[in-house]
Amino acid sequence: MDWNLLACARHHLSYAPDEPELRDHLRVHTVEGAAWRCLRCGDYVPGPPRAAGPADEAPVPLRGQLLRDAVVLRALAVERVVRGGLLLLGAYAVWRFRGEQPAVRAEFDQDLPLLQPLADRLHWNLADSPLVHLARTALATRPQTLSWITAGLACYGLLQLAEGTGLWLLRRWGEYLAAVATAAFIPLEVYELIERVTWVRVTALLINIGAVVFLVYRKRLFGVRGGRAAYDAERHHASLIQVARAATGT
């Protein structure tokens, strides 16, 4: 797949540098008028350039491998935002439950015996049911504990939203935040997997390990593969403005 053409299917990124030599290198004349070279896919686009200005202020579009990396990062961002939203909804639900816990407990104790005849017909041991046990545990939880659970879910949800925002905007701080936060929770996920193996837990663990490896290796975090300097050099090496400068000697 040509990732450059995939991005340029929405719009090309043509640019007219103020420097005459670079301007002439990125422009051709056709029977329909001037055509400007797209800085991303390299094709010449008829019509006026999308932007103009000094070459040093030209946008550095993501191309090739870097563009594919951006697609992966934004896929991770969507997953983080969805997870953050669900966590915040969970925090709101626990907070509402905390305020109405006595009423819910009374309704539960009143209505549970009504299910006993149905449970007997289904040969379901209602008293030892894990679902009923979970409900009783939740109803017996102290309000202070529920407050801490609400705060924990809210903080974790906001952290996920921050990660998603940074990754979607392709910011360096977002990559670092996602790598550190994801790696910090991997030991907890391993512990949960030891307690009970499920496909959901295995899949989540593999996704998070893959995300950390991808972020650290491909985005050169923490000095890996040359660090920030190599990351910036990779981006500018792929810029057609730099190619034009090398060709014209400017």
Side-chain angles (χ1 to χ4, degrees):
M1 179 183 295
D2 192 331
W3 294 92
N4 299 325
L5 296 180
L6 182 64
C8 286
R10 294 186 302 155
H11 63 79
H12 289 281
L13 187 59
S14 54
Y15 188 82
D18 291 341
E19 295 80 355
E21 298 83 0
L22 296 177
R23 177 184 288 262
D24 293 339
H25 194 81
L26 296 176
R27 177 183 58 185
V28 295
H29 294 282
T30 68
V31 294
E32 297 182 357
W36 294 87
R37 195 173 187 186
C38 175
L39 299 182
R40 181 164 41 221
C41 69
D43 289 344
Y44 285 94
V45 183
R50 188 174 183 86
D56 292 337
E57 298 180 6
V60 182
L62 301 175
R63 304 175 70 239
Q65 178 72 36
L66 295 176
L67 186 57
R68 188 184 70 178
D69 291 348
V71 173
V72 175
L73 289 177
R74 284 181 170 164
L76 289 174
V78 171
E79 186 269 339
R80 293 297 193 269
V81 169
V82 171
R83 185 190 300 182
L86 292 176
L87 287 168
L88 291 179
L89 286 176
Y92 176 73
V94 174
W95 177 72
R96 288 293 304 272
F97 171 73
R98 176 187 177 278
E100 301 177 8
Q101 187 180 18
V104 174
R105 185 189 300 112
E107 289 290 336
F108 179 82
D109 293 338
Q110 178 181 345
D111 294 341
L112 184 62
L114 300 178
L115 296 176
Q116 190 61 53
L118 178 61
D120 293 340
R121 286 180 174 272
L122 297 176
H123 304 287
W124 177 28
N125 189 349
L126 190 62
D128 295 333
S129 170
L131 183 61
V132 173
H133 177 71
L134 178 63
R136 290 190 183 280
T137 301
L139 291 171
T141 304
R142 295 186 305 168
Q144 183 179 7
T145 303
L146 293 176
S147 298
W148 282 109
I149 293 175
T150 301
L153 289 174
C155 290
Y156 190 30
L158 292 174
L159 176 63
Q160 294 293 295
L161 293 181
E163 289 181 41
T165 301
L167 291 174
W168 183 266
L169 297 176
L170 306 179
R171 295 292 187 265
R172 193 74 172 168
W173 62 263
E175 297 167 0
Y176 272 104
L177 179 61
V180 172
T182 304
F185 284 96
I186 286 179
L188 177 60
E189 294 177 345
V190 172
Y191 173 77
E192 292 179 344
L193 198 58
I194 294 175
E195 290 290 316
R196 181 185 177 191
V197 177
T198 66
W199 284 109
V200 174
R201 292 179 178 179
V202 171
T203 302
L205 177 61
L206 292 178
I207 289 176
N208 286 335
I209 292 176
V212 173
V213 172
F214 171 81
L215 287 168
V216 173
Y217 181 79
R218 271 301 309 158
K219 308 312 292 182
R220 306 173 188 267
L221 303 182
F222 307 105
V224 174
R225 299 175 60 222
R228 181 59 184 264
Y231 171 78
D232 291 337
E234 182 182 23
R235 289 194 61 188
H236 285 84
H237 178 73
S239 170
L240 287 180
I241 290 290
Q242 297 298 325
V243 175
R245 276 181 160 167
T248 59
T250 58

